């Protein structure tokens, strides 16, 4: 029986892919058996999904086969859904089998948080995966075709987006760019189309200063977006939403981007957590489990600058992956572990074609320059995981 350590990575998002690629680079032959588990056989770019969802970019630009990103002679890939994590047995239960582990990296990504709003799961759509994005795009296009047959149904041309964080703002920016083209195709008066962005918090884009938030809102308002800030959605219905103010917005399209929580797998595994997010130690390990590393949406790390949790961004997961991999290799070799330190390389939010806001260090960017920085960030990720060829094939340069 082999005594080679078994390393299992759950999830092939930003953190999971970075962990797998670093392990295949750093481990020697036969030093460990590494298995990567994902329910999809492709890696998709979550920070890019708002574009194909609105129909402003091709869906194929938002994902790449996992087989193109890992060396399958060094990493075993298993396409399957995770059903259960049994920490006491050091096993992962899949829908079609079981994996044992000596070291486990949980990078499964988060789940949609609806904050208990009635009807949200039943009637809203979510920008969460390639399949959900495809459905949103097809649904939006269908509304214009349906309106031509039923011009009395104004709700077909009313779009409600819940949440004014990154995803919500970036999506309404792309949707407002797509509307004119759809109106031309279906010969619909653009003035009939309504886009509402509803946010319970008093401001959009938390984390940006007010100058950049004002710029973003003004830019989007000029493109036809109506904001309702400081207004919660009280109920999501088949025919629209009811707001906390008791105002009703009749709509055939409600898209919820209002929150992400950790995975229920964390809670069911009995790992100490807060809303399915785990306050990991300085080495990215779960409390009481030196053999389990948690990265990405399911990890909780406190920013010492303000004593508040870091937001679970792609940038965070990209930095956590290599450190988790380093520490697993170090554990196997009985070497000291490396502490994780987050280095903020900047934050950018797109506002549609040629528009964005961003912060790099102490420098604030807006408009065209910020939009170019967003493209550079996206291309950089493609280069990191797939080299020049992937960056050229999937990157948006214009």
């Amino acid at each position: 029986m082999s005594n080679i350590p078994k390393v299992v990575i759950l999830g092939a998002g930003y953190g999971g892919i970075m962990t797998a690629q670093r392990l295949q680079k750093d481990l020697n032959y036969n030093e460990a058996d590494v298995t990567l588990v994902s329910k999809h056989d492709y890696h998709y770019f979550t920070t890019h999904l708002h574009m194909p969802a609105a129909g402003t970019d091709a869906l194929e630009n938002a994902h790449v086969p996992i087989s193109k990103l890992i060396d399958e002679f060094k990493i075993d890939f298993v396409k399957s859904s995770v059903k259960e994590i049994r920490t006491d047995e050091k096993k992962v239960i899949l829908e079609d089998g079981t994996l044992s582990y000596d070291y486990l990296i949980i990078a499964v990504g988060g789940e949609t948080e609806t904050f208990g709003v009635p009807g949200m799961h039943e009637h809203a759509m979510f920008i969460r995966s390639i399949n959900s994005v495809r459905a949103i795009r097809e649904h939006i296009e269908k509304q214009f075709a349906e309106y031509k047959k039923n011009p009395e149904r104004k709700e077909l041309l009313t779009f409600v987006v819940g949440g004014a964080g990154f995803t919500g703002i970036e999506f309404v920016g792309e949707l407002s760019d797509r509307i004119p083209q759809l109106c031309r195709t279906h010969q619909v008066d653009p003035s009939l189309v309504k886009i509402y962005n509803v946010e319970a918090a008093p401001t959009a884009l938390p984390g940006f200063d007010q100058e950049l938030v004002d710029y973003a809102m003004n830019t989007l308002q000029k493109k036809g977006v109506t904001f309702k800030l400081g207004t919660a959605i009280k109920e999501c219905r088949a025919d629209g939403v009811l707001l906390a103010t008791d105002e009703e917005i009749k709509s055939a399209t409600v898209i919820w981007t209002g929150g992400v929580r950790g995975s229920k797998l964390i809670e069911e595994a009995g790992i100490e957590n807060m809303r399915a997010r785990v306050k990991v130690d300085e080495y990215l390990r779960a409390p009481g489990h030196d053999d389990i590393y948690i990265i990405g949406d399911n990890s909780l790390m406190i920013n010492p600058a303000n004593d508040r949790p870091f937001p679970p961004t792609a940038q965070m997961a990209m930095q956590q992956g290599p450190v988790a991999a380093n520490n697993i290799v170090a554990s196997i070799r009985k070497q000291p572990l490396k502490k994780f330190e987050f280095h903020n390389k900047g934050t950018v939010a797109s506002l549609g074609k040629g528009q964005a806001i961003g912060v790099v260090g102490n420098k604030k960017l807006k408009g065209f320059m910020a939009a170019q920085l967003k493209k550079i960030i996206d291309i950089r990720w493609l280069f990191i995981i797939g080299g020049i060829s992937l960056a050229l094939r999937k990157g948006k340069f214009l």
Side-chain angles (χ1 to χ4, degrees), residues 99-387:
L99 292 173
S100 298
Y101 67 83
D102 294 294
Y103 299 97
L104 179 67
I105 302 97
I106 302 177
V108 290
E111 299 172 0
T112 299
E113 174 62 271
T114 62
F115 302 103
V117 177
M120 195 62 76
H121 279 295
E122 293 80 5
H123 303 301
M125 306 180 81
F126 308 97
I127 302 175
R128 293 296 300 156
S129 68
I130 294 296
N131 290 335
S132 70
V133 162
R134 182 184 293 110
I136 290 171
R137 178 176 186 154
E138 292 173 353
H139 173 85
I140 291 170
E141 293 169 350
K142 182 180 177 183
Q143 302 318 296
F144 283 81
E146 286 293 319
Y147 176 77
K148 291 300 291 183
K149 301 180 206 172
N150 305 279
E152 74 284 355
R153 294 188 60 195
K154 307 297 185 187
E155 74 274 12
L156 292 170
L157 300 182
T158 299
F159 301 89
V160 176
V161 178
F166 264 80
T167 303
I169 288 294
E170 292 191 321
F171 176 71
V172 296
E174 297 299 325
L175 181 59
S176 61
D177 283 346
R178 181 82 195 287
I179 293 302
Q181 183 263 319
L182 288 170
C183 287
R184 287 192 299 271
T185 299
H186 297 277
Q187 296 182 321
V188 170
D189 181 355
S191 67
L192 299 175
V193 181
K194 309 296 180 187
I195 302 174
Y196 292 96
N197 190 201
V198 184
E199 170 58 56
T203 183
L205 290 169
F208 284 102
D209 73 17
Q210 197 58 46
E211 177 189 348
L212 293 178
V213 172
D214 290 343
Y215 178 87
M217 291 183 62
N218 289 337
T219 298
L220 294 173
Q221 284 168 338
K222 289 175 184 176
K223 295 167 73 169
V225 179
T226 298
F227 287 95
K228 289 185 175 292
L229 303 181
T231 306
I233 294 177
K234 188 175 181 179
E235 183 181 355
C236 183
R237 301 167 172 172
D239 62 350
V241 295
L242 174 65
L243 304 184
T245 57
D246 287 333
E247 176 188 358
E248 290 183 274
I249 302 177
K250 297 295 184 182
S251 170
T253 308
V254 179
I255 297 170
W256 177 252
T257 70
V260 177
R261 72 191 304 275
S263 170
K264 66 179 182 296
L265 288 168
I266 298 285
E267 295 171 311
E268 294 169 355
I271 299 172
E272 183 182 331
N273 69 89
M274 292 175 278
R275 296 180 67 84
R277 296 183 66 196
V278 177
K279 189 174 181 181
V280 295
D281 68 12
E282 57 194 352
Y283 305 112
L284 304 177
R285 299 176 301 187
H289 298 276
D290 289 351
D291 55 346
I292 299 177
Y293 292 79
I294 301 180
I295 62 178
D297 290 343
N298 295 290
S299 71
L300 180 65
M301 303 201 73
I302 303 300
N303 184 347
N306 55 21
D307 205 32
R308 297 181 62 183
F310 283 111
T313 61
Q315 182 182 177
M316 172 68 78
M318 289 166 62
Q319 293 184 32
Q320 289 177 323
V323 174
N326 174 89
N327 287 342
I328 287 172
V329 174
S331 295
I332 291 172
R333 296 174 181 171
K334 311 299 184 188
Q335 296 174 347
L337 304 186
K338 178 181 179 180
K339 294 182 181 180
F340 176 79
E341 292 184 18
F342 176 61
H343 300 283
N344 192 342
K345 299 181 183 302
T347 306
V348 184
S350 67
L351 308 172
K353 187 174 177 61
Q355 288 284 350
I357 59 171
V359 178
V360 180
N362 295 321
K363 188 175 180 60
K364 293 184 284 189
L365 301 172
K366 51 192 175 185
F368 178 78
M369 290 301 296
Q372 299 313 300
L373 178 59
K374 173 72 171 175
K375 290 179 182 177
I376 291 171
I377 291 170
D378 290 343
I379 292 168
R380 178 177 176 270
W381 170 244
L382 295 171
F383 176 76
I384 288 172
I385 62 171

Side-chain angles (χ1 to χ4, degrees), residues 16-166:
I17 286 295
M18 289 296 284
T19 305
Q21 290 190 334
R22 182 57 63 91
L23 284 173
Q24 75 181 18
K25 177 183 176 183
D26 291 352
L27 285 169
N28 298 321
Y29 177 72
N30 263 357
E31 194 171 10
D33 286 333
V34 183
T35 302
L36 173 64
V37 180
S38 174
K39 63 182 176 181
H40 304 296
D41 57 6
Y42 53 81
H43 163 77
Y44 61 88
F45 319 128
T46 55
T47 59
H48 190 83
L49 291 180
H50 59 283
M51 299 178 72
T56 55
D57 194 20
L59 197 59
E60 55 264 28
N61 288 336
H63 62 96
V64 60
I66 290 173
S67 60
K68 301 287 187 183
L69 303 178
I70 62 171
D71 183 345
E72 293 188 276
F73 288 104
K74 296 181 178 179
I75 307 283
D76 292 325
F77 173 63
V78 175
K79 181 184 177 184
S80 187
S81 294
V82 180
K83 296 302 181 184
E84 185 183 354
I85 300 170
R86 297 180 182 172
T87 59
D88 53 339
E89 300 176 34
K90 301 185 74 163
K91 290 182 178 179
V92 176
I93 310 303
L94 307 179
E95 62 182 354
D96 50 5
T98 301
L99 292 173
S100 298
Y101 67 83
D102 294 294
Y103 299 97
L104 179 67
I105 302 97
I106 302 177
V108 290
E111 299 172 0
T112 299
E113 174 62 271
T114 62
F115 302 103
V117 177
M120 195 62 76
H121 279 295
E122 293 80 5
H123 303 301
M125 306 180 81
F126 308 97
I127 302 175
R128 293 296 300 156
S129 68
I130 294 296
N131 290 335
S132 70
V133 162
R134 182 184 293 110
I136 290 171
R137 178 176 186 154
E138 292 173 353
H139 173 85
I140 291 170
E141 293 169 350
K142 182 180 177 183
Q143 302 318 296
F144 283 81
E146 286 293 319
Y147 176 77
K148 291 300 291 183
K149 301 180 206 172
N150 305 279
E152 74 284 355
R153 294 188 60 195
K154 307 297 185 187
E155 74 274 12
L156 292 170
L157 300 182
T158 299
F159 301 89
V160 176
V161 178
F166 264 80

